[in-house]
Amino acid sequence: RAEDGTVPPSCDCNYGGLPNVQLHIQPGAAFDRETGQRFQAGFGDLELGLKYRFIEQDKSNWVPSVAVYPLLEIPTGSAPRGLGTGTTHGFVPIWIQKDFGDWTTFGGGGYWINPGLGNKNFWFAGWVLQRKIFANLALGVELYHQTPDEIGGMQTTGFNVGGTYDFNDNFHLLFSFGRAIQHRKETNEFSWYLGLQVTGGN
């Protein structure tokens, strides 16, 4: 993450190795361009995760899918060069999803273990409501809240609007944009995301 909040490209790789289990690995690039310093670029920190769905939604009633999805951020990036945090971070969330025809709603939250000088552990929660507009286009809105992640920091509440567009069965465009509602100037005046999702397998 750069000083201005820019997040460099990364690969969010997931594999369903077993029923109800998803393995996750996210390697990524990193760069640092602090004012008056030489531009630095290289390999960033590595994210690893494992999602386990222990309740499967029942389409005949209101029972949703429920999963745990612990994550670890491993300090593989060079902290002295500004390309990593130099410490291991962890996130322990619970996620819930329910589908109703063309509508999908999902969300949840959890606790971030956030070591480091000036940092503090924090909570994050969010919820999405999404609807399929056409056969290959779904749009949705997300509301989220995060408690302060640093000593003397501020909590924030915000929103994102986004969706997915299916080019075909294997290639999908993911997009979103949003901003904070609470403490906008200090936390998030504007953010956006654009990604290409490739799916396959049985």
Side-chain angles (χ1 to χ4, degrees):
R1 183 184 298 270
E3 186 181 34
D4 62 0
T6 303
V7 178
S10 64
C11 177
D12 185 346
C13 307
N14 300 286
Y15 176 69
L18 296 170
N20 296 317
V21 175
Q22 175 182 294
L23 305 177
H24 165 78
I25 180 170
Q26 185 171 329
F31 63 79
D32 183 68
R33 54 181 184 190
E34 294 186 21
T35 303
Q37 302 294 321
R38 190 177 71 175
F39 179 81
Q40 301 279 356
F43 191 79
D45 290 345
L46 179 68
E47 183 176 279
L48 301 174
L50 187 150
K51 180 167 68 174
Y52 174 64
R53 182 175 58 201
F54 57 92
I55 297 178
E56 174 66 51
Q57 67 174 301
D58 189 333
K59 297 296 181 66
S60 66
N61 57 40
W62 288 82
V63 175
S65 294
V66 184
V68 293
Y69 196 173
L71 298 173
L72 282 179
E73 293 187 351
I74 311 299
T76 53
S78 173
R81 297 175 58 206
L83 306 180
T85 65
T87 57
T88 298
H89 303 257
F91 184 43
V92 186
I94 291 181
W95 300 117
I96 301 170
Q97 177 175 327
K98 183 62 179 174
D99 301 320
F100 302 94
D102 290 337
W103 292 90
T104 297
T105 184
F106 59 90
Y111 190 65
W112 270 100
I113 301 168
N114 187 38
L117 183 64
N119 291 351
K120 61 184 296 186
N121 297 345
F122 63 97
W123 292 90
F124 176 88
W127 202 270
V128 174
L129 179 63
Q130 179 177 284
R131 188 181 192 280
K132 181 177 289 187
I133 307 300
F134 303 111
N136 60 347
L137 175 66
L139 299 176
V141 61
E142 174 192 28
L143 294 177
Y144 65 86
H145 179 77
Q146 179 182 307
T147 61
D149 60 1
E150 60 183 12
I151 298 172
M154 295 183 175
Q155 65 180 352
T156 183
T157 302
F159 74 94
N160 291 298
V161 177
T164 61
Y165 179 82
D166 302 326
F167 296 109
N168 51 45
D169 291 340
N170 302 112
F171 293 91
H172 320 271
L173 179 69
L174 312 180
F175 57 92
S176 72
F177 61 90
R179 64 189 308 177
I181 302 170
Q182 181 185 30
H183 303 135
R184 182 173 64 245
K185 185 174 178 59
E186 295 82 5
T187 60
N188 177 18
E189 292 190 294
F190 179 75
S191 60
W192 62 274
Y193 170 82
L194 186 66
L196 177 66
Q197 182 184 44
V198 181
T199 57
N202 297 324

